Amino acid sequence: MELRQLQYFIAVVEEGSFTRAAARLHVAQPGVSAQIRLLEKELGQPLLDRSGRRVTTTEVGGATLTYARAALAAVAGMRQTVDEFTGLVRGHVTLGIVSGATTESYDLADVLADFHDDHPQVEISLTEDTSARMCDALRRGTLDLAVLGVASATPPPGIDCQFVIDTPLVAALSTRHPLVTPEAPPELALAALADQPLISLPRGTGSRSTLERGCEQAGFTPRIAFEAAEPLLLARLAARGLGVAILPEPSGDTAAALGVCAVPLTAPRLRGRIALAWPTDGPATPAAKALLTRLRQALPPVTPTEP
């Protein structure tokens, strides 16, 4: 009995087809059929029912499927253990990134490129999504690591994190906006925006959750006129007079270049936070652990403050 025979058997069962299993395994379909016939001959019983449009297990095949999977899992575990002892890292890591997470403070592309140079046998998949969905994916185990927005100064349930950005959220207004006058106070109470069209990051992002929670404290429901995933686009929309953008505080030069006036918010003060996040029980594989270590070294931690 060979491991590849068990691999082929499992693939056919999961795909319900010899053809699809062969395509998934990148081998010729006759080779898959021949190996499974050899396995059936050795065991003395048919494992697959080939009579229907979809290939299914026989009663014997269904009973042995668990053992076939366990055998392959045991071999994978042995390889992983050896890799850990020898320092060899390989495998696959999924990393989620919220829009706008890369800033001048750090460059994820450089970090990932350097990691790949050191660990060429690790495949990294990048996905962009909302912070809320990535938190769910981390808890489910379908995502290994994420750089996401966090509304609170404490990690979400089931998540550990290292905060890497903690900055005030401000109101970005066109320099021609009625609220921008020489007599205007240096700060703007959030309640003053109750009747204003607001421009915000999409629902499910950390900054959007912070905004909605702040508006609730201020006694109103925000009127979101435009949504965009990139903070600079929010500022550009505000500069054209389409509303008041709520975004992380830009530098004075950046605000001037975009044609907006960035006004601090108060009552309550809002903060935008980005964190490197992972499941509370830690990454599941050596590859994910190695990438987490590299990211934690590359992304300087900050201590979040409550508004």
Side-chain angles (χ1 to χ4, degrees):
M1 186 180 302
E2 299 180 8
L3 288 176
R4 65 170 174 167
Q5 293 172 342
L6 301 181
Q7 182 184 21
Y8 291 1
F9 170 51
I10 293 170
V12 171
V13 173
E14 291 178 348
E15 297 294 336
S17 163
F18 283 91
T19 302
R20 289 194 295 273
R24 166 175 147 183
L25 297 166
H26 305 291
V27 296
Q29 187 269 333
V32 174
S33 299
Q35 289 299 320
I36 291 180
R37 282 197 298 270
L38 289 174
L39 178 62
E40 291 175 321
K41 182 177 180 181
E42 180 177 347
L43 294 175
Q45 290 288 335
L47 303 178
L48 298 173
D49 183 350
R50 303 160 171 83
S51 61
R53 295 184 61 183
R54 179 178 176 85
V55 179
T56 59
T57 59
T58 62
E59 185 175 0
V60 174
T64 59
L65 183 60
T66 299
Y67 296 101
R69 286 178 168 145
L72 292 184
V75 171
M78 289 177 63
R79 287 174 175 160
Q80 177 176 312
T81 300
V82 172
D83 288 349
E84 290 175 341
F85 274 95
T86 59
L88 177 64
V89 178
R90 59 183 162 195
H92 183 265
V93 183
T94 55
L95 172 64
I97 304 175
V98 70
S99 297
T102 299
T103 71
E104 296 177 358
S105 303
Y106 56 84
D107 189 337
L108 282 178
D110 281 348
V111 177
L112 297 180
D114 290 343
F115 181 83
H116 178 71
D117 289 341
D118 293 338
H119 305 289
Q121 296 187 72
V122 176
E123 179 184 353
I124 301 174
S125 294
L126 292 177
T127 182
E128 186 175 275
D129 208 338
T130 66
S131 299
R133 284 198 289 263
M134 287 193 290
C135 281
D136 289 340
L138 287 171
R139 285 188 282 260
R140 292 196 310 270
T142 56
L143 196 63
D144 293 308
L145 310 168
V147 180
L148 45 75
V150 181
S152 172
T154 57
I159 304 295
D160 275 346
C161 67
Q162 173 175 303
F163 289 90
V164 296
I165 290 179
D166 183 74
T167 187
L169 293 181
V170 300
L173 303 92
S174 164
T175 55
R176 301 179 300 277
H177 194 282
L179 291 175
V180 179
T181 65
E183 299 79 20
E187 296 182 327
L188 187 64
L190 188 59
L193 302 179
D195 297 325
Q196 295 287 330
L198 301 183
I199 305 170
S200 169
L201 291 170
R203 188 180 297 275
T205 58
S207 293
R208 176 63 172 270
S209 298
T210 298
L211 171 62
E212 292 176 344
R213 187 173 63 180
C215 291
E216 182 179 3
Q217 293 176 25
F220 70 97
T221 300
R223 180 160 64 93
I224 306 299
F226 292 92
E227 293 181 346
E230 176 54 52
L232 289 179
L233 179 55
L234 301 182
R236 291 190 181 99
L237 293 171
R240 295 301 301 269
L242 296 176
V244 179
I246 307 298
L247 44 75
E249 183 177 31
S251 67
D253 292 343
T254 300
L258 292 169
V260 296
C261 180
V263 182
L265 291 166
T266 186
R269 298 184 185 277
L270 307 180
R271 300 193 70 83
R273 302 183 181 94
I274 297 291
L276 169 64
W278 59 91
T280 51
D281 55 357
T285 66
K289 291 176 183 177
L291 181 55
L292 174 59
T293 298
R294 180 67 60 89
L295 288 169
R296 294 191 72 175
Q297 293 170 348
L299 309 183
V302 300
T303 302
T305 57
E306 288 290 357

